[in-house]
Amino acid sequence: LLLLSASRAESYLLKDEKRGTSVSIFGLGMVRLNHATVNGDAVEFEESDDGYADGFDTSQFASFTANGTLFHDYAIDGFLRYDDEDDPDLSFLLKFMRDESYLAVGDQMGMFTENYFTRYANPFRGATLHLESDTLGVTTFAAVARGSVEKEELTPNGTSGPYLLAHLPVVSGSERITIEVRNRNDDKQTIERRPQERNADYTIDYDTGEITFAEPVDRETFHGDPVVIVAIYRSEEDANGFDSASGGGRVSVSPTDWAGIGATYVTEFSSKTSFSDGFDARQQIYSVDGALRLTDALKLTTEYAVSQDMQNAQNDPHQAWRATLAGKFGERVDLSGWYHRAER
């Protein structure tokens, strides 16, 4: 196995003190030529962790980053990366900021993370505009996303895995893994939901779809209620590009430091057809949420959401409610409680 590589790094500083501009740019590029002679199973070697294709092949990598200040008041931060070691992948993000307001264009990881029902957790490529003052916040985004959304329920076998997803490959960073406890007398009723954190509670191989948990997952609880692993993720099994379009907006108002209210709307539809046809068959969800600080140590948050599938002939909306209460009294006493109900 012979590896020959050539790399180059450059950095630049753009500075104009009169206009208040100072931007640093750093770039790194690499081209590698590989030659491998394989005796035996060439395919198995190529697909192994250390394998290369039999014969000659090349791989390239490039990375550019930029950050600094424009016209005294505006900050700029961005990157562009290209890597073709496995599958060719290009990612970029450019963000302009002033105080708490910003405009971001490129690859982003999610929106409205302060919500539960209207949180958009999928990675996407698009534009986000956020405007914020002391009492008002406005956020809107328009984007495209890779692949189709899949949902699977996996039955634990008492081990940590691996558990296999069916629709491959999985879009990197798109998965949401939850362990749910169902009522043994009514399997449609969920008693408990335990969201899992990537690289803490589990690891995932996006190419093979293997999920491995840090601890074994039991088949049922001590009381005999069945346990289910729920995986929601994006798959590129039947997709070669950005096949879903999405968008939405959020307005939040905080008239005082002890109360706030917000309204959120998110929609998603297929971008394979025309915009009008895709939008007519959209899925949408909108919500109203509020936060109330009852005392210095006690906070109540609520959220009410309605979802609708416009492609469904019934077009019946489904509702969901959530309320949480959290507080801390002294150094040793914590209080928490929650109510959660979802029709769909």
Side-chain angles (χ1 to χ4, degrees), residues 54-308:
D54 189 20
F56 286 96
D57 73 288
T58 61
S59 59
Q60 300 87 33
F61 171 81
S63 175
F64 299 91
T65 60
N67 61 79
T69 305
L70 297 175
F71 308 113
H72 300 285
D73 297 326
Y74 298 92
I76 182 174
D77 191 11
F79 70 85
L80 185 150
R81 299 189 185 99
Y82 174 79
D83 189 353
D84 75 340
E85 183 172 354
D86 295 316
D87 296 322
D89 181 65
L90 175 68
S91 60
F92 67 94
L93 178 64
L94 187 61
K95 191 173 184 179
F96 299 93
M97 298 162 284
R98 182 177 182 181
D99 299 327
E100 300 299 325
S101 301
Y102 64 85
L103 171 65
V105 179
D107 296 301
Q108 302 171 60
M109 287 304 298
M111 293 294 298
F112 313 137
T113 56
E114 62 270 40
N115 295 348
Y116 184 87
F117 297 118
T118 48
R119 174 182 302 169
Y120 191 80
N122 294 317
F124 64 86
R125 177 171 294 178
T128 301
L129 176 63
H130 175 76
L131 303 174
E132 185 174 336
S133 66
D134 292 337
T135 59
L136 179 66
V138 178
T139 307
T140 183
F141 82 102
V144 290
R146 295 182 184 274
S148 59
V149 177
E150 304 291 343
K151 180 179 180 180
E152 292 186 47
E153 294 189 356
L154 308 175
T155 302
N157 56 19
T159 71
S160 58
Y163 297 92
L164 302 180
L165 299 177
H167 304 281
L168 307 177
V170 177
V171 176
S172 178
S174 68
E175 84 284 356
R176 284 169 285 168
I177 309 299
T178 307
I179 295 178
E180 297 188 359
V181 179
R182 304 287 172 80
N183 189 331
R184 63 182 181 274
N185 299 316
D186 182 4
D187 59 3
K188 296 182 179 180
Q189 182 182 15
T190 300
I191 300 175
E192 181 184 2
R193 291 183 176 90
R194 299 196 298 268
Q196 304 295 290
E197 182 180 351
R198 184 192 312 121
N199 296 329
D201 300 314
Y202 72 92
T203 58
I204 181 172
D205 187 317
Y206 293 112
D207 293 325
T208 63
E210 294 183 348
I211 300 174
T212 304
F213 291 92
E215 301 290 340
V217 183
D218 294 328
R219 295 175 180 268
E220 59 184 31
T221 66
F222 177 78
H223 300 288
D225 294 310
V227 177
V228 178
I229 301 169
V230 179
I232 301 175
Y233 61 96
R234 282 190 172 273
S235 168
E236 292 187 277
E237 182 179 37
D238 299 319
N240 296 317
F242 296 90
D243 292 332
S244 298
S246 58
R250 173 173 170 81
V251 177
S252 59
V253 181
S254 302
T256 69
D257 57 359
W258 53 268
I261 189 172
T264 308
Y265 174 80
V266 177
T267 183
E268 186 173 78
F269 52 91
S270 174
S271 61
K272 294 181 180 180
T273 60
S274 66
F275 177 84
S276 59
D277 291 341
F279 188 75
D280 289 340
R282 69 190 181 277
Q283 293 179 321
Q284 61 184 7
I285 182 169
Y286 38 95
S287 72
V288 177
D289 60 274
L292 180 64
R293 188 170 296 280
L294 303 176
T295 67
D296 290 341
L298 196 60
K299 184 178 181 180
L300 172 68
T301 60
T302 60
E303 185 178 3
Y304 168 73
V306 177
S307 67
Q308 194 170 20

Side-chain angles (χ1 to χ4, degrees), residues 37-54:
T37 300
V38 182
N39 294 318
D41 192 334
V43 175
E44 182 177 351
F45 174 74
E46 179 182 347
E47 293 178 351
S48 68
D49 293 338
D50 300 318
Y52 295 91
D54 189 20

